[in-house]
Amino acid sequence: QSVLTQPPSASGTPGQRVTISCSGSFSNIGSNTVNWYQQIPGTAPKLLIHSNNQRPSGVPDRFSGSKSGTSASLAISGLQSEDEADYYCAAWDDSLNGYVFGTGTKVTVL
Amino acid sequence: EEQLVESGGGLVKPGGSLRLSCAGSGFIFSNAWMNWVRQAPGKGLEWVGRIKSKPDGGTTEYAVPVKGRFTILRDDSKRMVYLQINSLKIEDTGVYHCSTGIFLDNWGQGTLVTVSA
C-alpha cells in the first residue's frame, strides 16, 4: 500500500488553477525531495517535477511544485484539456529504503 | 532521443518465472541508474527496484513486497537491464516499466505480465 496520500480526484474548468496535495511522513517527504509524474491513460508516466519544484525541459511553467514539512503539492494553473490525466507524487523513503509513490489523483477538466 | 523498450512479458502460471528486458538507447547507458516500476490493472504506480550504475557501485535495492523474488541485473555492453521474477504470484500481474535516473526521468511503454492459472 502507498505511504504517500493524495486525494483521489480533482477537477476544474479550463483556465482555472487546480492544486493536488501529497501527504507523507518524516522518513519520506520530510527527509527527501519530492517528484511528480503525469500519466495520461494508456500511456507511460512522464516526469513533471523533480526536486520539489524543478521542471524538466519541455514541461510548461503552468505546472509548479512545492514542499513544506511532510507534505507537498502540485499546482496546475491555466488548466487545459490536455491536462486531464492521473498525477502521482513520489519520494525516497529512508525507513523502507525504497522509492514510494502516492495513491494518485485523477484530474478532470470540466 | 532517449528511448527505453521493454520486452519479455506474457502469461505465466503462479509459481513460474519470467525475465523481463529493457533496452536503452540515446543516452550514456553505463552511467544511468535503472528502475523498474509496475502498475496493476486499474491501479497506481508501484516502484519495484533499481540498480545503480557501476561507477556508483552497481548495487540494487528492492521494494519490500518483491525482495527475495525479484532480481535486477544489467549488461552495459548490451545496453540492457533485466528483471528476473521468480515464484510469480497473481498479484504480480501488471504492466512493468523500466525508467532511468534518480528521478525516473524517462520511461518505456512497458510490458504486460499476466499471472493466472
Side-chain angles (χ1 to χ4, degrees):
Chain A
Q1 67 279 15
S2 300
V3 299
L4 303 182
T5 303
Q6 300 177 231
S9 63
S11 62
T13 57
Q16 276 191 328
R17 177 184 170 93
V18 168
T19 301
I20 301 168
S21 62
C22 174
S23 177
S25 64
F26 179 76
S27 64
N28 42 66
I29 295 178
S31 302
N32 299 287
T33 59
V34 178
N35 307 314
W36 289 90
Y37 303 87
Q38 176 194 60
Q39 186 178 31
I40 294 169
T43 70
K46 169 189 170 184
L47 178 65
L48 210 56
I49 297 285
H50 70 83
S51 307
N52 301 330
N53 55 19
Q54 301 299 301
R55 283 186 308 277
S57 173
V59 174
D61 59 7
R62 303 186 291 104
F63 295 92
S64 62
S66 63
K67 181 185 115 169
S68 178
T70 59
S71 294
S73 63
L74 173 73
I76 311 172
S77 57
L79 195 64
Q80 297 183 6
S81 57
E82 58 259 39
D83 299 333
E84 197 159 274
D86 296 318
Y87 293 83
Y88 297 89
C89 60
W92 188 261
D93 190 295
D94 291 336
S95 294
L96 296 174
N97 197 37
Y99 196 65
V100 291
F101 284 97
T103 48
T105 298
K106 183 176 182 60
V107 169
T108 302
V109 181
L110 302 170
Chain B
E1 179 192 356
E2 189 170 318
Q3 191 173 16
L4 298 166
V5 179
E6 302 91 339
S7 61
L11 175 62
V12 188
K13 287 182 166 39
S17 296
L18 206 57
R19 188 174 87 155
L20 307 182
S21 301
C22 170
S25 62
F27 61 100
I28 302 174
F29 189 90
S30 58
N31 287 348
W33 294 24
M34 299 299 295
N35 300 265
W36 285 95
V37 176
R38 67 183 179 183
Q39 187 167 32
K43 303 295 185 184
L45 301 173
E46 180 185 22
W47 180 82
V48 168
R50 73 180 181 190
I51 185 166
K52 296 180 180 179
S53 65
K54 285 194 170 58
D56 289 324
T59 54
T60 52
E61 284 138 337
Y62 300 95
V64 169
V66 308
K67 208 172 286 188
R69 294 192 301 122
F70 287 26
T71 303
I72 300 175
L73 303 162
R74 66 187 298 154
D75 185 338
D76 291 341
S77 67
K78 296 181 179 177
R79 305 178 62 85
M80 299 287 291
V81 64
Y82 306 97
L83 178 65
Q84 177 69 39
I85 311 175
N86 298 326
S87 304
L88 274 157
K89 304 177 181 181
I90 290 176
E91 53 264 38
D92 294 322
T93 293
V95 175
Y96 285 71
H97 299 271
C98 63
S99 178
T100 55
I102 295 172
F103 304 132
L104 282 67
D105 308 50
N106 286 288
W107 297 62
Q109 287 302 311
T111 185
L112 176 63
V113 173
T114 303
V115 184
S116 174

